[in-house]
Amino acid sequence: MGHAYFRFYSELRDFLSVSSQQIPVRVELAGHETVKHIVEMLGVPHTEIDLLLVNGKSVDFDYQIQVGEFISVYPMFESLDIQSVSKVRQKPLRIPRFVVDIHLGKLAGYLRLLGFDTLYRNDFQDNELAEISSTEVRILLTRDRGLLKRKVVTRGYLVREDDPKEQIHEIVRRFDLSQLALPFSRCSLCNGLLSSVSKKTIEKDLEPLTKEHYHHFKQCSDCHQIYWKGSHFDEMENFIRLIINSNQETSI
């Protein structure tokens, strides 16, 4: 029938096979293909895309490609409001919330440590993750490219790094989270919000040495886990400072 031409920008090129690395990517059309069909055929999950331009004009995923058209494909701009020019999404996600797959448990803990609303269970099924992401408008973080290609998923990101400490740097940098962090405001176990609680209220639940040496406590509103500035607090605080400061410097 003919060809169309695609150009993928920035990290979207990570998804392309070696044979698709030429610029632009030339795609043979059979007729009536949508932009979503072609980009995912080439290996790019639609959840990674925030702007599609066909010959300079913004279109949505259901746009049917015509012979000879040039399609520019841009990655997510979660930290930049492009609502006025993009037809891919109804609105940008200004307050990031996450749902995390079963392989990223430590990353989930780090996100909660920074104060971000992050759902995680070690028995989540793929269909549950996709449904939660869609219905609760959460960014789905996963290492499974196929999961991000599900039609119901509109917000998602493929985590590239292997080490959890590198993963949290990656996510903070990718979604520009440094200025939004509220450390020690969420429960690392269940994601509930923490609030200050009097020692007298909880002293029956404290170990003798904890009761003797510590006087300021927080408690989770959901699972009632108790937190205090114990021996590891300085180490955690330094870790948080390193994440936030290093990513602020990167974004300048």
Side-chain angles (χ1 to χ4, degrees):
M1 177 181 174
H3 298 87
Y5 303 88
F6 284 74
R7 180 163 185 169
F8 294 87
Y9 287 84
S10 191
E11 65 267 24
L12 294 183
R13 293 182 58 78
D14 295 344
F15 294 101
L16 301 177
S17 65
V18 174
S19 62
S20 299
Q21 286 292 330
Q22 72 268 25
I23 301 175
V25 181
R26 186 183 183 200
V27 177
E28 185 172 354
L29 301 176
H32 307 295
E33 291 99 336
T34 64
V35 175
K36 181 177 182 291
H37 172 76
I38 295 296
V39 296
E40 294 203 327
M41 180 190 73
L42 292 171
V44 181
H46 69 278
T47 52
E48 297 270 335
I49 298 169
D50 221 11
L51 180 64
L52 295 166
L53 300 179
V54 174
N55 298 333
K57 180 181 178 181
S58 180
V59 300
D60 62 20
F61 285 119
D62 293 325
Y63 178 83
Q64 291 190 350
I65 305 166
Q66 305 299 311
V67 172
E69 289 184 322
F70 192 99
I71 298 92
S72 300
V73 188
Y74 295 87
M76 288 189 300
F77 297 92
E78 289 294 352
S79 60
L80 179 65
D81 188 349
I82 60 169
Q83 183 181 358
S84 62
V85 297
S86 177
K87 294 187 178 180
V88 169
R89 305 183 186 284
Q90 292 182 347
K91 60 181 180 179
L93 192 63
R94 307 324 301 162
I95 302 176
R97 302 192 305 159
F98 302 94
V99 58
V100 179
D101 80 14
I102 62 173
H103 304 293
L104 299 172
K106 287 187 177 179
L107 173 60
Y110 289 148
L111 284 167
R112 290 171 178 176
L113 182 64
L114 292 175
F116 295 104
D117 185 348
T118 306
L119 295 186
Y120 168 80
R121 282 204 331 255
N122 61 9
D123 61 349
F124 269 142
Q125 300 298 308
D126 285 356
N127 61 329
E128 291 180 281
L129 291 166
E131 188 65 24
I132 290 169
S133 174
S134 174
T135 59
E136 298 189 20
V137 196
R138 291 178 179 271
I139 301 169
L140 173 56
L141 302 180
T142 181
R143 300 271 287 172
D144 181 354
R145 186 182 304 191
L147 180 55
L148 293 180
K149 291 183 179 182
R150 296 193 177 206
K151 186 174 183 180
V152 69
V153 180
T154 59
R155 300 277 179 181
Y157 178 75
L158 187 77
V159 178
R160 275 71 160 176
E161 296 288 349
D162 296 318
D163 181 80
K165 289 185 178 179
E166 293 301 319
Q167 289 171 351
I168 188 61
H169 279 282
E170 176 185 356
I171 298 305
V172 170
R173 181 170 58 251
R174 181 65 187 84
F175 295 100
D176 196 18
L177 301 179
S178 295
Q179 301 295 330
L180 301 176
L182 293 171
F184 307 111
S185 62
R186 284 193 177 270
C187 178
S188 60
L189 298 179
C190 79
N191 195 47
L193 290 172
L194 302 182
S195 58
S196 297
V197 61
S198 69
K199 184 176 179 179
K200 185 176 181 179
T201 304
I202 58 169
E203 61 182 354
K204 67 180 184 303
D205 299 316
L206 301 176
E207 295 293 335
L209 288 178
T210 303
K211 190 186 305 184
E212 179 181 353
H213 293 289
Y214 298 97
H215 307 285
H216 301 286
F217 300 88
K218 287 187 176 183
Q219 189 171 31
C220 175
S221 58
D222 293 342
C223 73
H224 307 298
Q225 175 72 21
I226 301 168
Y227 293 85
W228 62 93
K229 295 182 180 181
S231 57
H232 298 297
F233 181 79
D234 288 343
E235 181 182 344
M236 290 190 295
E237 200 168 41
N238 288 334
F239 177 57
I240 290 170
R241 188 180 299 113
L242 177 63
I243 294 170
I244 293 175
N245 290 345
S246 65
N247 285 287
Q248 283 178 335
E249 292 168 3
T250 303
S251 63
I252 291 175

